[in-house]
């Protein structure tokens, strides 16, 4: 996958996670991932359309989702309720939206769909036949993996 | 303060966050909508002094809602509040009639400053 497409996800994740969590995350090594992947307990899927088409999946363990939501909401999340889900969806929305700005600055005009939350163990999520790159981040509240499965739209 | 503010966002988290920010800064009259269509209805009902409007929402997006509200009230004061701040998106919003554009994630001060600025313009 084109580094021009992947790099915005990395830089924006660093920036937004630092803003929200108050600490710079550590990035692991990006790796190709099978299109049909088993993801985390909490996943947020955002669709991309326009110059790039496909999906981006933000996956994390439930404990991480609870902790991130607690920070965003400002009160401890004891059960992953609708407010916590909404906060995590908004995190994915903010990252994706800011990535769109970065992509736009290099001439790739895209749009995105509202985020969809998928919960549950052993959930299989697919980017269909679009090759995906998984970018792992380690934050002060746990792991977050961003699976980027987008490719250029052929007109 | 008696000004009514309409918050439009499809996520309950963002509506609550914005409401908390506004309440903490003296804006107690806050009404909410979860998509553009609801926002148009709420605008007609409450005639808010300022509208905070997301862009990407189900049913009706924020840009379409801005256009409809401005048709209803050409003086409507609308602040876009979106994670998507691409140049063309900002231009679309401004052309539709938005007065300001705040990119998420935002600082509370940025939201309050923008609302106060528009309310100040109303008073002037």
């Amino acid at each position: 996958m084109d580094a021009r497409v992947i790099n915005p996800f990395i830089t924006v994740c660093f920036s937004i996670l630092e803003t929200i969590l108050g600490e710079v995350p550590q990035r692991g090594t990006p790796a190709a991932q099978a299109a049909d992947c088993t993801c985390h307990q909490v996943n947020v899927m955002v669709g991309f359309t326009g110059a790039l088409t496909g999906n981006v999946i933000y996956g994390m363990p439930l404990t991480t989702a609870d902790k991130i939501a607690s920070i965003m909401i400002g009160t401890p999340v004891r059960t992953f309720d609708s407010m916590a889900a909404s906060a995590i969806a908004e995190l994915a929305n903010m990252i994706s939206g800011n990535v769109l700005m970065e992509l736009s600055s290099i001439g790739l005009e895209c749009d995105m769909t509202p985020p969809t939350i998928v919960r549950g163990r052993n959930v299989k999520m697919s980017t269909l036949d679009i090759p995906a790159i998984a970018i792992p981040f380690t934050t002060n509240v746990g792991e977050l993996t961003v699976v980027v499965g987008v490719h250029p739209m052929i007109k | 303060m008696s000004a009514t503010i309409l918050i439009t966002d499809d996520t309950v988290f963002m509506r609550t966050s914005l409401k908390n920010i506004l309440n903490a800064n003296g804006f107690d009259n806050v009404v909410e909508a979860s998509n553009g269509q609801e926002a148009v209805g709420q605008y007609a009902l409450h005639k808010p002094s300022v509208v905070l409007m997301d862009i990407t929402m189900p049913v009706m997006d924020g840009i379409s809602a801005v256009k409809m509200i401005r048709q209803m009230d050409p003086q409507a004061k609308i602040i876009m509040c979106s994670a998507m701040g691409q140049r063309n998106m900002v231009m679309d919003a401004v052309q539709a009639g938005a007065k300001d554009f705040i990119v998420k994630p935002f600082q509370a001060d940025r939201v309050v400053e923008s609302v106060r600025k528009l309310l100040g313009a109303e008073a002037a």
Side-chain angles (χ1 to χ4, degrees), chain A residues 10-120:
Chain A
I10 295 171
T11 55
V12 167
C13 279
F14 271 122
S15 165
I16 289 186
L17 290 173
E18 182 184 7
T19 299
I20 289 171
L21 303 177
E23 194 173 303
V24 180
Q26 303 286 313
R27 177 174 64 81
T29 307
Q33 178 160 317
D36 198 9
C37 65
T38 301
C39 290
H40 295 81
Q41 289 169 291
V42 177
N43 304 282
V44 189
M45 184 184 288
V46 177
F48 275 49
T49 59
L52 300 173
T53 186
N55 291 300
V56 178
I57 302 165
Y58 302 85
M60 66 201 84
L62 184 57
T63 52
T64 302
D66 283 344
K67 288 174 183 171
I68 292 175
S70 296
I71 292 167
M72 292 178 75
I73 295 166
T75 54
V77 169
R78 307 211 184 279
T79 53
F80 192 77
D81 57 10
S82 60
M83 177 62 89
S86 179
I88 295 301
E90 190 55 44
L91 172 68
N93 189 50
M94 287 190 287
I95 293 172
S96 301
N98 280 259
V99 166
L100 292 193
M101 278 193 280
E102 297 288 321
L103 292 172
S104 174
S105 71
I106 57 170
L108 295 171
E109 296 294 344
C110 301
D111 204 348
M112 67 184 196
T113 63
T116 302
I117 287 228
V118 181
R119 289 186 57 195

